[in-house]
Amino acid sequence: MYRTKNSKNQNNNNSNKKKHHNLFHNLLPRRGNHKARSNDTTTTTTTSEIVNQGTMTTESEKSFTERESSTTLDDANTESLPIVSPEISVERAMEAAAASESLSAVKSKSRLIPPDQLRQVYTVPENLRTMEDGGCLFSFVCNHKLTPYQAEMVDSFVNLSGFDDEEKENFVPKFHYSEYMKQRRQELEQESDTASSKSGGSKNGRLPNYTFLLARCGYLLTGVDFAEMIANPTLLTTLDYQRACQPEGTKVWEDYDLMGPDNFRITKPIIPYIYSFTIQFRVSRVKNPEDLQRLSKHLGIPVDGAIVLERTKRSVPPKEDATKKTKSVLVYTDLGQGVVLVTHLTVMLQCGLPEVVERIIGTVGQWGLGETAETAWRTRTYLQKKMPFAPTEPAFFLDAASEAPEEEESKQSGQQQPRGQSDEDDYDDDDFFDAVDADAHGNDVLVH
């Protein structure tokens, strides 16, 4: 939920954390109906309703060793994808864009992709038609173990950074999935007390027991000048952009003077009246051709540019919470005539995530699909006005007057002027995760 007070005493904060903890326990699926209460709101939810929000994951109920033996559709084929241009009709996409459809129409055309079918997303004709018609694709994973393709997704961008040394400058670890899993297996083999292996913290030198939260979405931008868009990545940090493109209900923070350069900060509700999260991102362009090639190889499509968003915090060194690392990357494929394919990948390394929360988070697929559709709809509208695509005409059609350069409008540099102060800091980030872990284990977990 939103934090509207600028200061909170410790007693009130602990009370709120316990209240949040109880609210999530009320959401745990049981037989029959059960209730989740807020201060002034009571909702009744059945187990079937929770399942209908998306595919409920049962992986969190299995032991780590049981997950090791699980296989999915993605596991059947581990060969690298050939890099080919997606068979998207630019003309059909432009026709759909000209129809100026409503948000509800875009949502109705969007599709939820099962997490075990990520590998072939851009080779399925139905998925491509969905994007041509203005819809979006979305998939979400919440698990302790990933399929080979999901693991490749993480490794393709989790260490991308605008910092020269993100470990020293942003206080986050380097991560490689295969190395992590190998060390986890070795540790678990040496564990005599199986109960202690469920701890979320890195105690006695052990690795954190991560839950991986992955999201992938795809949609088309139309009528947009790609060259100008990719040359101005810090546009994403501006108050104007965030207010225009974030889904309704998102709080966009205005105190840029507390964030550092090229940063923005938002608070997004996940479960209304119960849980929201506050996160701050630094934005930078991916310039290394090898990094772009790695993304291209993973997706199996040409990549013409990418922008990385990495979680940062206000305090230095940052205050600890349950999120060890969060990365998001916007991958762009220029299809020509102002049509751009956007593939948005996100990974969060979360430690100490209780099974009750993991199970509930695994049901947010439909919510994420709606958020993606609204983001795409708003972003298309904004960029068509901000950076419109202008077809280049042959020179012999131009007269001397038209060849004269026009005065360019001044563009924002991406560094905003201070817009007010706030004494809220990183203490509120991942407030619920910290509260649950402290309640269950009696101590705080390590952070991102």
Side-chain angles (χ1 to χ4, degrees):
M1 63 183 176
Y2 293 124
R3 284 85 178 178
T4 55
K5 296 182 179 180
N6 287 338
S7 62
K8 296 180 285 186
N9 60 48
Q10 187 66 35
N11 291 335
N12 288 339
N13 186 60
N14 290 337
S15 174
N16 288 335
K17 288 181 177 180
K18 291 178 180 179
K19 178 171 61 179
H20 292 176
H21 185 199
N22 292 334
L23 288 169
F24 261 97
H25 274 294
N26 288 334
L27 284 175
L28 177 63
R30 303 185 182 95
R31 293 181 180 178
N33 293 349
H34 56 281
K35 297 181 179 180
R37 295 180 177 85
S38 175
N39 290 339
D40 55 358
T41 304
T42 301
T43 58
T44 302
T45 310
T46 65
T47 302
S48 61
E49 287 173 340
I50 290 181
V51 174
N52 287 337
Q53 294 175 18
T55 303
M56 176 171 288
T57 177
T58 57
E59 290 294 309
S60 60
E61 299 175 346
K62 300 179 182 179
S63 68
F64 184 88
T65 53
E66 286 175 323
R67 295 189 188 101
E68 285 291 277
S69 62
S70 64
T71 58
T72 68
L73 183 61
D74 270 335
D75 286 315
N77 188 350
T78 58
E79 296 181 1
S80 298
L81 289 169
I83 300 176
V84 295
S85 297
E87 297 182 0
I88 293 176
S89 170
V90 171
E91 291 75 15
R92 181 168 173 170
M94 295 170 64
E95 290 176 1
S100 301
E101 293 183 322
S102 65
L103 173 58
S104 59
V106 173
K107 287 185 176 181
S108 67
K109 294 180 179 180
S110 299
R111 302 186 64 217
L112 192 62
I113 305 299
D116 61 355
Q117 297 179 18
L118 290 177
R119 189 177 190 276
Q120 60 268 40
V121 167
Y122 290 154
T123 62
V124 177
E126 187 177 1
N127 293 340
L128 302 181
R129 302 297 85 78
T130 293
M131 293 190 292
E132 287 175 355
D133 293 339
C136 304
L137 308 175
F138 179 79
S139 186
F140 181 77
V141 176
C142 178
N143 212 332
H144 281 78
K145 180 180 180 293
L146 304 177
T147 70
Y149 188 74
Q150 292 166 3
E152 180 187 291
M153 169 180 163
V154 172
D155 287 343
S156 69
F157 72 95
V158 71
N159 294 320
L160 292 180
S161 178
F163 293 98
D164 293 331
D165 187 337
E166 65 171 341
E167 293 180 284
K168 293 182 179 179
E169 298 176 62
N170 200 31
F171 302 91
V172 296
K174 291 287 186 181
F175 181 83
H176 300 280
Y177 182 80
S178 59
E179 295 178 7
Y180 165 78
M181 294 298 289
K182 181 179 180 180
Q183 294 181 56
R184 282 288 295 159
R185 292 190 195 100
Q186 293 173 348
E187 289 180 352
L188 290 172
E189 289 174 358
Q190 299 171 359
E191 280 286 353
S192 58
D193 185 358
T194 57
S196 65
S197 67
K198 297 180 181 180
S199 171
S202 179
K203 300 176 182 178
N204 301 323
R206 290 193 298 107
L207 289 174
N209 186 11
Y210 286 135
T211 298
F212 300 94
L213 283 75
L214 309 181
R216 171 174 167 171
C217 59
Y219 55 88
L220 297 179
L221 298 175
T222 51
V224 174
D225 187 330
F226 171 73
E228 184 177 4
M229 180 180 67
I230 198 64
N232 295 276
T234 53
L235 172 68
L236 274 67
T237 69
T238 63
L239 189 64
D240 182 50
Y241 179 95
Q242 289 297 320
R243 283 180 171 174
C245 301
Q246 287 291 345
E248 185 177 358
T250 303
K251 174 184 177 181
V252 181
W253 293 65
E254 300 183 14
D255 48 358
Y256 284 95
D257 53 314
L258 301 180
M259 301 180 199
D262 303 332
N263 278 251
F264 69 92
R265 185 178 175 93
I266 58 174
T267 298
K268 184 180 291 290
I270 303 300
I271 302 177
Y273 306 107
I274 295 177
Y275 173 59
S276 63
F277 71 86
T278 297
I279 193 164
Q280 181 172 299
F281 282 113
R282 177 179 176 179
V283 177
S284 58
R285 181 179 177 181
V286 179
K287 299 179 179 179
N288 189 332
E290 293 182 0
D291 293 333
L292 296 175
Q293 179 63 22
R294 188 182 304 110
L295 291 167
S296 181
K297 182 179 179 181
H298 169 68
L299 296 173
I301 58 175
V303 170
D304 298 302
I307 294 175
V308 64
L309 294 80
E310 49 196 318
R311 187 194 182 201
T312 57
K313 304 196 79 174
R314 298 188 177 199
S315 54
V316 179
K319 295 184 178 181
E320 297 183 349
D321 61 22
T323 307
K324 291 288 288 183
K325 193 170 191 176
T326 300
K327 285 288 176 71
S328 191
V329 62
L330 290 162
V331 183
Y332 301 107
T333 302
D334 186 8
L335 302 177
Q337 301 183 54
V339 180
V340 180
L341 170 61
V342 180
T343 307
H344 192 175
L345 308 175
T346 300
V347 59
M348 179 182 292
L349 307 183
Q350 191 75 35
C351 61
L353 190 62
E355 290 184 2
V356 58
V357 184
E358 185 175 319
R359 219 174 316 172
I360 294 169
I361 290 177
T363 69
V364 301
Q366 289 293 345
W367 171 86
L369 180 63
E371 290 280 291
T372 298
E374 185 173 353
T375 299
W377 180 73
R378 289 176 175 272
T379 304
R380 275 196 287 253
T381 303
Y382 178 82
L383 291 179
Q384 285 168 358
K385 297 177 180 178
K386 189 74 174 180
M387 299 177 175
F389 173 73
T392 302
E393 297 186 40
F396 54 84
F397 284 119
L398 302 176
D399 55 26
S402 63
E403 291 177 355
E406 298 180 357
E407 293 186 6
E408 295 186 357
E409 296 182 359
S410 60
K411 299 181 177 63
Q412 295 181 351
S413 65
Q415 294 185 350
Q416 301 80 0
Q417 295 299 316
R419 303 175 186 274
Q421 296 281 340
S422 169
D423 61 3
E424 291 199 44
D425 57 16
D426 299 322
Y427 189 79
D428 286 326
D429 292 4
D430 293 325
D431 189 33
F432 172 72
F433 291 140
D434 289 339
V436 172
D437 188 70
D439 184 70
H441 304 293
N443 54 12
D444 293 332
V445 295
L446 292 180
V447 17
H448 159 77

